[in-house]
Amino acid sequence: MDFEKIETEVKIHVQKWVGEAQLLIQRKPPAQLYVAVAVVVFTMLLLILIKLFKRKTSNTIVLTGLSGSGKTILFYQLRDGSSHLGTVTSMEPNEGTFVLHSETTKKGKIKPVHIVDVPGHSRLRAKLDEFLPQAAGVVFVVDAVEFLPNCRAASEYLYEVLTAASVVKRKIPLLILCNKVDKVTAHTKDFIRKQLEKEIDKLRTSRTAVSEADVTDEYTLGTPGEAFAFSQCHNKVVIGEASGLTGEISQLEDFIRNLVKP
Amino acid sequence: MLEQLLIFTRGGLILWTCRELGNALRGSPIETLIRSCLLEERSGSASYSYDAPGAAYTLKWSFHNELGLVFVAVYQRILHLLYVDDLLEMVKDEFSKIYEPTRMVYNDFDDTFQQLKKEAEDLAEKMKKSKQPVKAINANLGKKQGLGQKGGVDGGNQKKSGDDGNGDKDGNKTKSYVYENGHTNGEHVSNGEVTVASGVNGKENRSSNTGAFDKDKLQKMRGGKGGKKTNTAAVSKAPKEELKKKPRVWNDSPPVSKLDFTDPVSENGTDNVPVVAMEHGESMMDREEIISSDSDSDEEEELGKNAKIETKKKGWFSTMFNSIAGKASLDKTDLEPALKALKDRLMTKNVAEEIAEKLCESVAASLEGKKLASFTRISSTVQAAMEEALVRILTPRRSIDIMRDVHAAKDQGKPYVVVFVGVNGVGKSTNLAKVAYWLLQHKVSVMMAACDTFRSGAVEQLRTHARRLQIPIFEKGYEKDPAIVAKEAVQEATRNGSDVVLVDTAGRMQDNEPLMRALSKLIYVNSPDLILFVGEALVGNDAVDQLSKFNQKLADLSPSPNPRLIDGILLTKFDTIDDKVGAALSMVYISGSPVMFVGCGQSYTDLKKLNVKSIVKTLLK
């Protein structure tokens, strides 16, 4: 049969090659061989180590929210402890890997945190998708003073973040940070939480959220049939308060430190 | 006098602001500049006008793309300061010398700034006194070139390559400077003359003459003419009411005696007509589009071919060398061939010429001075920048969730009114039926209003759709005033509890004054919740004209002080264009309103959402 002939031919060829390789190996001095083997083993170990590293949790925190809620100020407070001369609408994300400013005085080796401040302008929404997959936690900043006029826009954005594929799959914890609480007319965080829950409840009914995570299932936020509450989310959602201008960001820092162990 | 000069990073942190000019700016001109100009990809224009109650400012800006800095100067509009461009360039050079990414405070820059300001003012004075003969150059007046060119200055003329011949028209606007030998800026060679274009007024005039505008400018124009406008509107309204509406005569044909062919008998005989089943399946609006992520490798090859053809003049060796080593910094002449290729490609995809031009300028402004990373071609950098810009433009600025708005209106107890406007034959009635079908699938009760009282058969057409979809229709036949019909339709809807009223209007050309006036009257009388401009995807350069004239007429002819403009775009006949999807880009760029629906066929389910990523991919293929 043809198959058998080809088989035997292949076998002969392979045997010839193996013989030649053995001759080659025997000819080379043993030192070289050992070195070559060592290099190969070493690189393999290195690759395995790198893979292991990747599996470790990332140290990225994403700051997001509507335009004008104070993300860039919070970023610089975290980094430098002051808001410098002020900010304007960001056109590009601000990224940085650093030790939080309040912890620079602490002794000992502290792991730096990678913080990303994504612009809130609606035209630049696409940037958020670049950073969400590597995020260990998301901070959604809400302007507590100008909350009611922007309530709908804020809740729509929050809804998008909560139903984003990466957030759903990896159950990324979320902190809803009510900013600008140093102002007298700022709303309380309970009020903001209730309003957001109400709005998201309405959004749930008017949108068929087919999450990109699972095309077969329809992903409905929270439990259907009940009024929406943040406690129903699969990922942890907490609410906090902060003031970017005065520098009161302790709740924010606690959240970050809980996620990125020093 | 200069009101304010600001230096900030692209990430939003203010690095330096002139402390002496301490007057607080009224309103928020910088924020508005960023939102309405720089993020809208209009950074190629020369200046931006901002109006706040009590102040009128002009803003000029300059980018330092390598370091990611933006320099903005604000001054009163009535003072035509000539030295602002040069001042910005000088400030840019000086500041980039002392800039470090880690440093946040730059107080020592104050003195440098004072010095530079004095120099610039002296220069302007000198220029005014001595009218130097202007060396004619082809000035691309939108660019912030000028003094920032490092190494490109060596006596003689510096010819700026540009493809608009504004230099000839506005010859009196170009100026030439002679630099003194003792100039502190070491890069400028002291011998010879450096002719520099100051793109002060030329581009401004040009941009205001063409249709390009932004809504703020319109509002500003509106506000300025407020007082006079009401008088003329009142006057024009009075005689109109006396004249009875005459039937329209198109040629010299004798006027038709009776246009109202509605047969009073047939309205009762509707139940004889068989009702077609409503179930046509799921509307494509609710289906998520699966984008095929095919490899970009063939795109790169094609692009490589184009780029190579363009740069053959330079010689392949230098391009190879440049792409491997990475050039020091990009300047205009390098970007130009890539940009021109990109512009031509956009135009073959049916983007209006003007829009393609503006986009390329904006991308150029954002890439100038940037350092090329090694092993990247210029064309790929330009392509990436253009892709980002396109995604930015096509991403809607506000939410386009109509269902949410409908529910909000329902909670308030009033119907949600949508008006469909557009020129003749774009598909308003067909797409109105599609939108009605989609809304019905989401359990919303819809009512149609037949306010196209001119075209024969329009009312019957809508009546057939209403019968097939089994929804109520409000009609008054032909030869009636559409504004009154719409008003009564909305009242009827509130009475019978419909959630949405879809108003169909007659098609009209954008420069037909009486028809546009009638349209603005309809809008003013009914104050609809959503004004949808229906445009076909087959339109070419006329899209720019249509949209800008529609918006302008709606603003000018409306008797109210805050006129309603177009809120959204419905793009029709999308299935007829294979990949020439440029009309979407032109329309969105010129009007700033998002594309809410895309009509892609002639049956009820052929309505879908705009997929930004796939459009950008198709445009740049």
Side-chain angles (χ1 to χ4, degrees):
Chain A
M1 299 287 281
D2 284 329
F3 289 128
E4 286 179 7
K5 269 198 203 159
I6 295 170
E7 245 188 80
T8 41
E9 273 190 39
V10 167
K11 270 200 200 146
I12 294 170
H13 276 287
V14 166
Q15 278 171 0
K16 246 207 296 192
W17 290 330
V18 168
E20 277 177 16
Q22 280 178 342
L23 276 175
L24 262 173
I25 290 172
Q26 281 164 7
R27 270 193 221 138
K28 289 264 190 291
Q32 273 191 13
L33 275 172
Y34 292 149
V35 167
V37 170
V39 165
V40 169
V41 169
F42 180 64
T43 34
M44 270 173 48
L45 277 173
L46 206 63
L47 285 170
I48 293 171
L49 269 174
I50 290 173
K51 268 203 185 154
L52 280 174
F53 259 116
K54 274 202 184 150
R55 277 210 211 110
K56 277 202 191 149
T57 50
S58 75
N59 60 349
T60 307
I61 302 278
V62 176
L63 285 172
T64 182
L66 285 185
S67 187
S69 48
K71 304 176 285 298
T72 310
I73 293 259
L74 284 172
F75 177 83
Y76 282 103
Q77 283 284 359
L78 283 173
R79 198 179 85 161
D80 304 324
S82 99
S83 51
H84 305 290
L85 286 171
T87 56
V88 292
T89 308
S90 312
M91 293 194 274
E92 274 178 9
N94 287 312
E95 269 185 81
T97 312
F98 44 81
V99 175
L100 299 181
H101 184 257
S102 55
E103 294 178 349
T104 45
T105 46
K106 282 203 204 147
K107 300 278 195 285
K109 188 171 183 302
I110 303 177
K111 198 171 146 191
V113 187
H114 179 225
I115 300 200
V116 182
D117 155 36
V118 177
H121 197 261
S122 31
R123 294 249 187 212
L124 301 169
R125 281 293 152 81
K127 298 259 187 222
L128 184 62
D129 301 326
E130 289 174 25
F131 295 105
L132 266 186
Q134 15 151 320
V138 177
V139 179
F140 190 86
V141 185
V142 177
D143 185 347
V145 175
E146 294 281 330
F147 175 65
L148 284 176
N150 300 325
C151 183
R152 242 192 77 178
S155 40
E156 277 181 22
Y157 195 15
L158 182 58
Y159 182 83
E160 275 178 37
V161 172
L162 283 172
T163 51
S166 347
V167 174
V168 171
K169 261 197 267 196
R170 293 173 37 210
K171 299 205 172 70
I172 303 179
L174 183 80
L175 167 70
I176 300 178
L177 195 66
C178 307
N179 199 13
K180 309 190 190 173
V181 295
D182 52 311
K183 301 271 192 305
V184 176
T185 48
H187 295 282
T188 57
K189 63 181 186 187
D190 288 318
F191 175 75
I192 292 180
R193 182 177 58 86
K194 286 208 193 83
Q195 289 294 323
L196 284 176
E197 286 178 346
K198 252 199 281 179
E199 284 290 330
I200 294 187
D201 199 24
K202 280 192 223 161
L203 275 174
R204 273 198 313 175
T205 51
S206 66
R207 282 200 202 191
T208 48
V210 182
S211 165
E212 301 149 59
D214 221 335
V215 192
T216 50
D217 287 329
E218 263 200 16
Y219 178 72
T220 29
L221 203 54
T223 42
E226 271 177 37
F228 174 75
F230 286 123
S231 44
Q232 298 169 1
C233 292
H234 296 293
N235 52 335
K236 202 169 97 168
V237 180
V238 285
I239 316 246
E241 289 183 331
S243 165
L245 274 180
T246 59
E248 277 181 37
I249 46 173
S250 48
Q251 293 186 19
L252 172 63
E253 288 178 344
D254 291 337
F255 177 77
I256 294 176
R257 273 306 161 202
N258 282 339
L259 288 176
V260 182
K261 307 283 183 232
Chain B
M1 285 316 296
L2 207 60
E3 292 281 331
Q4 179 69 274
L5 194 127
L6 217 66
I7 303 179
F8 55 92
T9 64
R10 282 187 81 97
L13 183 71
I14 298 179
L15 289 174
W16 184 83
T17 156
C18 182
R19 221 153 298 173
E20 264 109 63
L21 317 168
N23 320 330
L25 294 174
R26 304 226 188 93
S28 51
I30 314 274
E31 296 283 328
T32 324
L33 171 74
I34 297 179
R35 275 169 220 260
S36 341
C37 191
L38 302 182
L39 280 177
E40 299 281 322
E41 296 307 312
R42 292 176 211 265
S43 29
S45 41
S47 71
Y48 179 76
S49 315
Y50 173 75
D51 282 295
Y57 299 119
T58 306
L59 291 99
K60 282 195 196 260
W61 61 91
S62 176
F63 294 117
H64 192 297
N65 292 310
E66 180 56 37
L67 303 171
L69 299 173
V70 187
F71 300 81
V72 178
V74 189
Y75 58 93
Q76 302 266 4
R77 190 154 345 123
I78 45 177
L79 315 164
H80 291 285
L81 296 179
L82 307 164
Y83 60 82
V84 180
D85 291 320
D86 309 317
L87 182 62
L88 275 176
E89 296 298 324
M90 290 197 278
V91 166
K92 185 160 84 169
D93 294 330
E94 286 299 321
F95 196 81
S96 25
K97 288 185 202 150
I98 67 173
Y99 175 71
E100 288 152 49
T102 45
R103 208 175 121 190
M104 296 289 126
V105 185
Y106 293 90
N107 289 330
D108 48 340
F109 194 67
D110 292 340
D111 305 320
T112 332
F113 173 68
Q114 287 305 317
Q115 198 185 348
L116 289 175
K117 190 157 139 260
K118 227 170 282 175
E119 275 179 31
E121 283 171 356
D122 293 338
L123 222 60
E125 284 297 315
K126 204 172 289 185
M127 246 218 24
K128 256 192 262 178
K129 288 183 191 150
S130 68
K131 302 269 176 152
Q132 292 276 343
V134 175
K135 277 206 182 150
I137 51 165
N138 252 350
N140 208 337
L141 289 174
K143 310 290 193 318
K144 292 265 153 265
Q145 283 293 304
L147 321 169
Q149 288 279 3
K150 294 187 185 163
V153 173
D154 42 3
N157 271 344
Q158 186 177 7
K159 189 167 168 156
K160 258 156 226 108
S161 42
D163 38 353
D164 58 349
N166 261 0
D168 301 322
K169 275 189 250 166
D170 306 337
N172 54 341
K173 301 255 171 63
T174 59
K175 296 159 181 72
S176 66
Y177 297 132
V178 178
Y179 277 92
E180 295 167 351
N181 288 345
H183 201 279
T184 51
N185 227 336
E187 279 123 20
H188 299 278
V189 180
S190 47
N191 53 346
E193 262 188 348
V194 177
T195 52
V196 158
S198 74
V200 177
N201 293 323
K203 194 67 187 228
E204 275 182 66
N205 291 339
R206 183 164 171 252
S207 58
S208 57
N209 287 338
T210 56
F213 69 98
D214 55 336
K215 283 189 185 159
D216 303 324
K217 198 168 171 192
L218 263 181
Q219 301 285 5
K220 174 224 7 162
M221 278 170 19
R222 281 292 317 147
K225 304 189 218 165
K228 271 196 233 166
K229 202 41 54 103
T230 46
N231 295 340
T232 49
V235 166
S236 61
K237 251 189 171 178
K240 208 180 174 196
E241 284 164 17
E242 295 167 5
L243 298 165
K244 202 170 151 258
K245 183 163 184 215
K246 293 216 181 73
R248 236 164 264 159
V249 179
W250 287 106
N251 311 326
D252 295 322
S253 53
V256 187
S257 51
K258 177 184 164 227
L259 259 182
D260 189 2
F261 289 114
T262 48
D263 207 347
V265 182
S266 70
E267 282 178 38
N268 294 333
T270 51
D271 28 22
N272 291 341
V273 181
V275 177
V276 183
M278 203 175 71
E279 276 311 304
H280 294 263
E282 191 193 16
S283 178
M284 278 169 72
M285 275 292 285
D286 303 321
R287 248 179 263 158
E288 290 284 334
E289 258 191 55
I290 307 161
I291 323 161
S292 60
S293 55
D294 40 19
S295 63
D296 293 325
S297 56
D298 27 349
E299 290 177 37
E300 285 294 320
E301 279 172 37
E302 222 193 282
L303 183 54
K305 274 189 229 146
N306 287 346
K308 290 217 176 94
I309 293 168
E310 288 293 326
T311 55
K312 237 182 197 141
K313 308 169 198 155
K314 269 175 95 176
W316 67 271
F317 183 69
S318 55
T319 46
M320 278 299 158
F321 185 68
N322 281 342
S323 77
I324 294 176
K327 246 185 102 112
S329 72
L330 288 170
D331 50 307
K332 195 106 299 158
T333 44
D334 303 323
L335 289 172
E336 212 194 274
L339 276 178
K340 188 148 185 339
L342 212 53
K343 181 182 163 202
D344 289 335
R345 194 166 348 144
L346 283 179
M347 278 170 59
T348 56
K349 296 282 157 87
N350 200 24
V351 178
E353 193 263 335
E354 195 184 306
I355 308 295
E357 175 75 35
K358 287 219 177 66
L359 265 178
C360 290
E361 277 173 22
S362 178
V363 169
S366 74
L367 280 180
E368 259 177 71
K370 239 200 181 135
K371 281 201 174 49
L372 252 191
S374 47
F375 286 105
T376 50
R377 282 184 298 221
I378 297 180
S379 46
S380 43
T381 323
V382 169
Q383 172 109 338
M386 177 61 94
E387 194 174 318
E388 221 185 279
L390 287 177
V391 169
R392 255 210 301 263
I393 298 180
L394 287 171
T395 312
R397 208 179 359 196
R398 55 185 183 79
S399 129
I400 52 172
D401 194 359
I402 302 206
M403 298 308 304
R404 183 77 193 77
D405 294 330
V406 169
H407 284 286
K410 202 169 168 176
D411 291 339
Q412 288 183 342
K414 44 187 197 98
Y416 188 78
V417 182
V418 184
V419 177
F420 290 73
V421 306
V423 301
N424 311 63
V426 291
K428 291 184 287 300
S429 308
T430 317
N431 284 281
L432 188 149
K434 289 189 215 168
V435 171
Y437 181 73
W438 174 68
L439 286 171
L440 283 173
Q441 289 208 312
H442 283 260
K443 316 278 187 296
V444 171
S445 57
V446 186
M447 187 168 108
M448 291 189 189
C451 297
D452 184 352
T453 53
F454 176 61
R455 193 188 86 199
S456 311
V459 177
E460 276 82 8
Q461 183 181 6
L462 276 189
R463 202 185 295 155
T464 314
H465 281 303
R467 210 175 301 139
R468 292 182 81 187
L469 295 172
Q470 296 184 321
I471 56 180
I473 172 171
F474 185 87
E475 44 169 344
K476 284 274 179 213
Y478 295 96
E479 294 293 298
K480 308 288 186 297
D481 187 3
I484 312 284
V485 179
K487 198 177 180 77
E488 292 175 9
V490 173
Q491 285 167 353
E492 176 77 25
T494 16
R495 255 193 308 247
N496 66 14
S498 297
D499 301 324
V500 182
V501 179
L502 300 174
V503 178
D504 187 23
T505 61
R508 61 203 72 211
M509 291 306 289
Q510 63 267 24
D511 29 22
N512 190 328
E513 178 94 6
L515 293 182
M516 295 308 296
R517 202 179 290 275
L519 181 65
S520 69
K521 176 183 166 207
L522 190 154
I523 290 179
Y524 171 64
V525 165
N526 295 296
S527 53
D529 296 294
L530 183 66
I531 302 180
L532 267 183
F533 177 83
V534 183
E536 56 183 7
L538 299 158
V539 74
N541 288 324
D542 200 32
V544 173
D545 198 48
Q546 278 178 19
L547 261 168
S548 49
K549 286 242 180 74
F550 256 86
N551 263 334
Q552 206 163 354
K553 290 291 162 71
L554 284 180
D556 293 342
L557 301 174
S558 169
S560 88
N562 289 339
R564 293 288 308 278
L565 299 176
I566 290 178
D567 298 318
I569 298 178
L570 198 162
L571 201 58
T572 62
K573 307 187 191 170
F574 209 70
D575 52 321
T576 57
I577 49 169
D578 292 322
D579 57 345
K580 299 201 184 321
V581 295
L585 182 67
S586 321
M587 289 199 214
V588 171
Y589 187 87
I590 200 74
S591 67
S593 28
V595 173
M596 298 189 130
F597 301 101
V598 176
C600 49
Q602 301 189 40
S603 60
Y604 287 122
T605 53
D606 291 322
L607 190 73
K608 49 179 191 177
K609 286 189 279 243
L610 187 73
N611 190 326
V612 177
K613 290 206 177 75
S614 79
I615 295 259
V616 172
K617 215 160 83 141
T618 323
L619 276 174
L620 291 176
K621 228 192 302 187

